Amino acid sequence: MKTNQIIVFLFVLLSFSISCKNKSRQDKEEKPDTTKAEDRESIEEFNAELFTDKEYLREYYEIPHIKEFYSWEGMEYQPWSPDFPDDLSTLPYDELRLLRNEIYARNGHLFNDGFLRGHFNKEEWYMPIFDVDDFEVVLNEEEKELINKILDEEKRRKEHKKIANGKLQLYNSDLVVNKKQFEKIPESIEKDFKDQNFSILEANRAMPFYAYDENAYQYIPHYITTDLYLFILHKYFSRSLEKLDENYMYGQLKSILKGATENLDKLSKIEHSQFLKTVDWAKMYSALAQYAIGEDKVVVPESYKSIFALEKNNIDNQSGKAEFIPNSLVSYKELKPRGHYTKSDTLQKYFKAFKWMSLNGINLKNKEQLKGLITFAYVIKSDNDLYRKYNEYVSVIEKLAGQEDNLSLSDIMKLLVVQTLTDALSDDHITKIANQLDDLEKEKIKQVFGKSFKTPEKEIKRMFFLSSTYSLSGEIFSKLVHVDGAQSKRPFPNGLDIPTVFNNKTAKKILVEEYNEEEKWSEYGMRLKKLQEQFSTFKDWEHNYGFKGVHTALSASSEQDNYPDYMKTDAYNRKELSTSLASWTHIKHDLILYQEKPFAAESGQGGGPEPPKHYSYVEPNLKFWDTALELVDWLENFSEFESSYKSELRRIKEVGELLKLVAYKQIEGREITAEEYNELHYIGGTIEYILLGLLETDHLPEREKSMALIADVYSYNQVNLNVAVGHSDDIYVIVPIKGEYHIARGSVFSYYEFTGKIFNDEEWRNQIKNNQIPDRPQWIQPIINTGTKPLKGHMEFRY
């Protein structure tokens, strides 16, 4: 753990201890906050009497626990006449508020507001009285008169709390009270605040919770984003899937292959000689799959040893073409482990085996290959224990990633009702099975070929031992591309196609007006409309994690009338689209082994006063918080398959419920409690501790120190469309807290989309480390401040 992270951790731990120690006293008597402009009654409660020289303060500085912190010597109160203009309207709003509160600061008031305390802590004369129940600030007449004048001016300014921006009413950035919490706010950021109430800065934070740790330390208000919650949700699923793959799926597939091979060996001894060639084909297939999954000793039929050597070499090198089941479109580059499958030797073996089996589909019209796969299906289905294992294995994949999108062994088994292999391999039965399989229209994600592309694969229907699964994005991408050699109108899809199909107006506007998709390809609009109609009634979100994850990702860019108007700006809508696509990228990354990839071809603080209050504002996307908690419920049900992290999921749910509650309170104008603010204060540490629990460690391992990840989601002429998440950006948003506007800081995903080779996470992270990353998508670039460093806080908390 880096030094600054250790400091933040110790600060959070000590602050938590101090706040717990003082909680009972706070619960007993919460004094009125006299720092708020609208809290006039509280201000006028103070007794002016005759204390004009403030000598009464001296006795408080003689109290032992106060004397430990301050020296009265040389600090006697002097009559204070601040230098301020006769015309208060010449002062900015935030300076008015500070001037008013300086009167209380000079009279020993301890501010609960984190910004105010930090601001005055910079002054040597600021010596607040703490842990003295009977202490009250006493104002003289001059001070009271000045306060009242300032309050009148503040009230006048607040008559213009919102500024018209077209049809929208944005928060008036001139009324922000905590600008001085930062060393400097560049003009470009000030302009963003005025035009859209928020600004995104390229921060390059390796983890999203680092921004919140820094906020907590410096008492900068949190802007708790949907991105932060999506991050920990995806980390939970990724880690659970990693456990499931390593502890169950790998062993289950290995056991199925081993059991099938043993049954094939038995057939070799008891069946008639005319089936030995077919049995040998099935044994060869099993030998290759077992080799890919890591079996050192596999038995290869004599007639296949030369082909086995070629296949073995290509599997080892993750290159070359398919030799055993020829297919000109298969590249063994696809065997390169990626996603979480690079994390252990077991996961790498499992990836290669499953990927090899989902790449090598037989030609349905090749009788030898079909008979071989039918034989495989027969030896599994005729063994009750093996058949049960196979069905359990396939059902878990379906729950994770969706239904198979191609013909597979399971389709043969449904049609296979014979008692013996002789009956199964009879000519009449083979013909019947072939016709029935050919009639099945199972494939929704179609391979796309250009008109000029000559290949027999256009006409070949293939069937797999294990099929890749259907995904929403896969079908959308396959139907929104046009390839025709040099005349290709749209050889690559765009991530924005997904929210556009689900009727996101901003995404469609970008594609049509900025990318000019309808002008480049006349069919685009028609195809898009057809897909929108197809998915307008889609309700099957609960079927699998792939669907439910996309549902949650899309909700991050939802639009509702009761959201604050800054969330209705074009710029914020683009921010939300980036969040949605980054979340979808996590899903594609985690399910990269199982889901089909569309294809196209053409040629610290100790003692002293209790910590001040730290405020937070939750991104008020109500639909997202509702949908995200539905996903948590789905994950709870799925945990029956992998229950290692139930306690972490329970904590994730608790955090989500708190964030949802606060978001609704904000929209409905209800008060956020001190306890809720306190829990939100530690949101960065909470997310980090959940992550450490998922990683089963007390520190971030080297390979987990970066949030960056990448997935290849489409291929055209062996060039891949990659979608990726980089390090997090900072977002600064003007938000209403306690009747005043504050600049709050949060963390958002950085989304990338580019063509090229296949990358794994380690290679992508190395690109980021060496600053060799591609540009952001064109549509998001205008709202990212790439040349401006994150705003630096400079408040002091010296007590």
Side-chain angles (χ1 to χ4, degrees):
M1 189 177 287
K2 294 180 181 179
T3 303
N4 61 339
Q5 293 173 317
I6 294 172
I7 293 171
V8 169
F9 172 80
L10 291 174
F11 168 77
V12 170
L13 191 62
L14 285 168
S15 296
F16 180 76
S17 173
I18 294 167
S19 66
C20 288
K21 181 177 70 174
N22 290 293
K23 182 172 176 19
S24 60
R25 187 180 64 83
Q26 289 175 344
D27 289 345
K28 181 178 179 183
E29 181 183 2
E30 181 67 26
K31 296 195 176 207
D33 183 356
T34 62
T35 68
K36 295 188 292 185
E38 66 271 24
D39 199 358
R40 195 154 187 167
E41 291 184 4
S42 298
I43 291 169
E44 294 187 352
E45 284 176 1
F46 288 113
N47 180 10
E49 294 194 4
L50 300 174
F51 296 102
T52 56
D53 62 358
K54 306 296 182 178
E55 268 302 307
Y56 83 100
L57 282 172
R58 179 189 295 272
E59 62 184 86
Y60 288 103
Y61 292 105
E62 295 299 325
I63 297 173
H65 76 272
I66 300 293
K67 200 170 184 178
E68 286 182 25
F69 281 83
Y70 314 123
S71 172
W72 177 259
E73 197 67 31
M75 297 296 292
E76 290 87 349
Y77 185 89
Q78 299 295 328
W80 179 58
S81 298
D83 183 18
F84 68 96
D86 293 333
D87 184 3
L88 291 175
S89 66
T90 61
L91 290 178
Y93 181 82
D94 61 331
E95 291 188 16
L96 278 173
R97 183 171 181 259
L98 289 173
L99 178 60
R100 172 166 57 82
N101 283 288
E102 184 172 341
I103 298 171
Y104 295 104
R106 288 181 176 273
N107 281 278
H109 180 68
L110 176 67
F111 293 99
N112 285 324
D113 182 293
F115 163 64
L116 289 173
R117 189 185 302 185
H119 174 78
F120 292 115
N121 272 345
K122 293 185 295 181
E123 307 295 340
E124 286 298 320
W125 53 257
Y126 183 50
M127 302 187 298
I129 304 300
F130 59 94
D131 285 342
V132 180
D133 290 337
D134 63 352
F135 175 75
E136 285 187 353
V137 168
V138 179
L139 303 177
N140 62 33
E141 291 300 327
E142 181 185 8
E143 291 167 334
K144 287 185 66 177
E145 182 180 353
L146 178 54
I147 284 173
N148 288 333
K149 286 182 179 179
I150 296 173
L151 280 171
D152 288 339
E153 179 62 22
E154 289 181 22
K155 183 178 179 181
R156 188 185 68 79
R157 303 283 184 93
K158 284 189 172 181
E159 291 173 359
H160 304 284
K161 292 195 72 172
K162 293 187 177 180
I163 301 295
N165 185 330
K167 295 181 180 180
L168 303 178
Q169 292 289 318
L170 299 181
Y171 301 136
N172 185 349
S173 62
D174 290 340
L175 299 181
V176 169
V177 298
N178 69 325
K179 290 181 180 179
K180 293 183 183 295
Q181 195 156 15
F182 305 96
E183 284 188 358
K184 182 181 180 182
I185 301 179
E187 289 184 10
S188 59
I189 309 305
E190 291 274 19
K191 186 176 187 304
D192 282 348
F193 288 155
K194 183 176 181 180
D195 293 344
Q196 60 198 32
N197 283 176
F198 78 96
S199 188
I200 297 176
L201 277 64
E202 191 173 54
N204 195 28
R205 296 187 191 271
M207 285 289 175
F209 45 77
Y210 290 158
Y212 297 95
D213 288 342
E214 191 173 314
N215 288 347
Y217 184 67
Q218 297 182 333
Y219 283 81
I220 294 170
H222 288 323
Y223 186 69
I224 302 174
T225 57
T226 57
D227 308 62
L228 180 69
Y229 195 64
L230 283 166
F231 166 80
I232 198 61
L233 273 177
H234 290 311
K235 279 292 185 182
Y236 167 81
F237 179 76
S238 179
R239 186 66 173 137
S240 296
L241 180 57
E242 181 185 332
K243 278 274 190 182
L244 183 67
D245 282 332
E246 192 160 30
N247 297 338
Y248 174 75
M249 302 297 278
Y250 167 78
Q252 193 81 339
L253 181 56
K254 197 171 183 180
S255 178
I256 291 167
L257 291 172
K258 182 179 179 182
T261 301
E262 291 173 352
N263 291 343
L264 287 169
D265 287 339
K266 294 175 184 177
L267 281 180
S268 299
K269 300 171 183 176
I270 63 174
E271 289 290 343
H272 299 298
S273 59
Q274 69 262 33
F275 299 130
L276 289 180
K277 184 178 179 181
T278 297
V279 172
D280 279 352
W281 186 97
K283 290 170 72 174
M284 169 61 173
Y285 185 99
S286 184
L288 285 168
Q290 286 188 92
Y291 178 77
I293 210 168
E295 287 289 349
D296 294 330
K297 297 179 181 179
V298 293
V299 178
V300 182
E302 191 66 34
S303 59
Y304 286 104
K305 285 191 173 178
S306 59
I307 293 180
F308 181 86
L310 292 173
E311 281 274 337
K312 176 177 175 291
N313 182 67
N314 291 346
I315 291 171
D316 288 341
N317 294 324
Q318 298 163 24
S319 64
K321 60 183 181 179
E323 301 286 350
F324 174 51
I325 305 175
N327 184 338
S328 61
L329 300 181
V330 167
S331 168
Y332 277 10
K333 290 180 181 179
E334 292 285 342
L335 297 180
K336 178 181 180 177
R338 44 214 194 265
H340 66 262
Y341 297 95
T342 62
K343 290 187 176 182
S344 72
D345 185 57
T346 296
L347 290 169
Q348 290 183 44
K349 291 173 183 176
Y350 177 58
F351 184 96
K352 286 193 289 186
F354 188 100
K355 186 62 76 173
W356 185 88
M357 296 166 81
S358 63
L359 284 173
N360 285 284
I362 68 161
N363 182 349
L364 192 58
K365 296 192 180 300
N366 184 310
K367 195 170 183 178
E368 178 188 358
Q369 294 177 2
L370 178 58
K371 288 168 67 175
L373 211 55
I374 288 175
T375 302
F376 226 123
Y378 172 81
V379 298
I380 291 176
K381 189 172 183 179
S382 60
D383 183 326
N384 290 335
D385 183 57
L386 199 56
Y387 190 40
R388 175 185 56 78
K389 285 183 178 180
Y390 172 83
N391 285 326
E392 289 173 351
Y393 177 79
V394 172
S395 70
V396 174
I397 293 175
E398 183 172 329
K399 193 67 176 172
L400 285 169
Q403 295 176 323
E404 294 178 324
D405 193 54
N406 298 283
L407 295 175
S408 73
L409 206 65
S410 63
D411 296 303
I412 297 178
M413 291 181 185
K414 291 172 186 175
L415 301 173
L416 198 63
V417 293
V418 295
Q419 299 299 314
T420 67
L421 184 62
T422 301
D423 293 334
L425 297 181
S426 68
D427 288 342
D428 288 344
H429 190 258
I430 293 294
T431 301
K432 180 181 177 182
I433 290 281
N435 290 336
Q436 288 175 315
L437 291 170
D438 196 35
D439 288 340
L440 291 176
E441 291 297 330
K442 194 174 180 182
E443 186 180 8
K444 294 181 181 178
I445 302 174
K446 307 287 187 180
Q447 293 181 338
V448 181
F449 298 103
K451 293 179 181 178
S452 60
F453 186 62
K454 307 298 182 184
T455 173
E457 283 299 323
K458 284 185 178 182
E459 310 303 326
I460 294 176
K461 195 167 189 175
R462 291 195 175 271
M463 182 168 59
F464 301 80
F465 185 103
L466 291 171
S467 165
S468 295
T469 65
Y470 168 82
S471 68
L472 298 169
S473 60
E475 182 175 6
I476 290 168
F477 282 179
S478 70
K479 291 180 177 178
L480 287 179
V481 292
H482 174 270
V483 297
D484 188 16
Q487 306 303 315
S488 296
K489 301 290 195 302
R490 200 175 196 251
F492 289 93
N494 189 307
L496 290 172
D497 290 337
I498 304 163
T500 300
V501 165
F502 287 95
N503 292 303
N504 185 287
K505 295 176 184 177
T506 305
K508 183 178 180 180
K509 178 183 175 183
I510 293 169
L511 290 174
V512 173
E513 298 181 11
E514 297 178 24
Y515 284 88
N516 302 314
E517 298 292 9
E518 292 181 342
E519 294 180 19
K520 295 176 183 176
W521 181 32
S522 60
E523 289 185 32
Y524 178 79
M526 178 187 66
R527 291 199 181 198
L528 175 61
K529 184 177 180 181
K530 190 173 181 180
L531 280 167
Q532 287 176 327
E533 291 172 352
Q534 175 186 334
F535 286 105
S536 64
T537 57
F538 185 83
K539 303 293 183 186
D540 202 18
W541 298 112
E542 304 293 330
H543 182 272
N544 60 76
Y545 176 78
F547 287 178
K548 194 61 188 174
V550 168
H551 189 210
T552 306
L554 290 171
S555 73
S557 52
S558 65
E559 300 175 14
Q560 291 185 187
D561 289 341
N562 61 343
Y563 292 176
D565 276 12
Y566 74 83
M567 293 179 67
K568 301 172 186 175
T569 62
D570 177 75
Y572 203 85
N573 288 336
R574 290 173 189 247
K575 172 268 167 195
E576 291 177 320
L577 283 173
S578 178
T579 298
S580 289
L581 292 180
S583 179
W584 164 71
T585 298
H586 280 87
I587 297 163
K588 299 304 290 185
H589 170 272
D590 292 342
L591 298 180
I592 197 164
L593 177 58
Y594 298 114
Q595 288 192 337
E596 184 172 2
K597 180 166 76 172
F599 169 90
E602 191 102 64
S603 160
Q605 181 173 331
E610 65 193 57
K613 289 179 181 177
H614 178 233
Y615 297 122
S616 298
Y617 191 85
V618 177
E619 185 174 358
N621 187 329
L622 305 185
K623 185 175 180 181
F624 169 81
W625 297 114
D626 290 340
T627 309
L629 285 169
E630 289 175 7
L631 175 59
V632 173
D633 290 340
W634 190 98
L635 291 169
E636 283 182 328
N637 292 330
F638 185 76
S639 65
E640 65 182 91
F641 296 103
E642 172 49 58
S643 59
S644 299
Y645 304 112
K646 277 193 172 182
S647 62
E648 283 75 20
L649 183 58
R650 185 166 55 251
R651 189 72 186 97
I652 290 171
K653 185 172 187 176
E654 291 170 354
V655 171
E657 288 172 340
L658 172 64
L659 296 177
K660 174 183 173 179
L661 173 64
V662 172
Y664 268 89
K665 280 188 170 186
Q666 290 166 178
I667 292 293
E668 295 166 1
R670 291 186 285 150
E671 184 179 358
I672 316 300
T673 68
E675 183 178 355
E676 288 161 350
Y677 274 132
N678 191 55
E679 287 190 56
L680 295 176
H681 173 76
Y682 301 106
I683 190 70
T686 298
I687 297 299
E688 183 172 9
Y689 298 150
I690 294 172
L691 176 60
L692 294 176
L694 293 172
L695 298 174
E696 301 175 85
T697 182
D698 59 357
H699 67 282
L700 287 176
E702 190 61 37
R703 69 157 291 137
E704 299 291 349
K705 288 181 178 179
S706 170
M707 67 184 289
L709 50 84
I710 191 167
D712 45 294
V713 296
Y714 170 87
S715 175
Y716 168 63
N717 279 356
Q718 298 190 31
V719 177
N720 292 275
L721 177 65
N722 294 303
V723 292
V725 176
H727 288 167
S728 70
D729 295 325
D730 282 359
I731 185 170
Y732 299 81
V733 188
I734 296 176
V735 296
I737 299 174
K738 296 283 188 179
E740 301 284 6
Y741 295 149
H742 290 72
I743 298 170
R745 177 168 60 188
S747 195
V748 294
F749 292 130
S750 60
Y751 173 72
Y752 295 84
E753 185 175 322
F754 58 95
T755 57
K757 68 173 188 176
I758 291 175
F759 288 82
N760 59 32
D761 290 348
E762 288 72 21
E763 291 167 335
W764 170 238
R765 289 168 184 169
N766 194 52
Q767 296 274 97
I768 293 174
K769 181 179 179 181
N770 295 322
N771 199 28
Q772 297 174 339
I773 53 179
D775 293 334
R776 305 283 183 99
Q778 175 185 324
W779 56 269
I780 194 69
Q781 289 181 29
I783 68 166
I784 308 294
N785 289 279
T786 55
T788 305
K789 293 182 179 180
L791 303 187
K792 188 175 181 182
H794 66 142
M795 297 292 95
E796 296 181 12
F797 298 94
R798 56 186 163 90
Y799 300 113

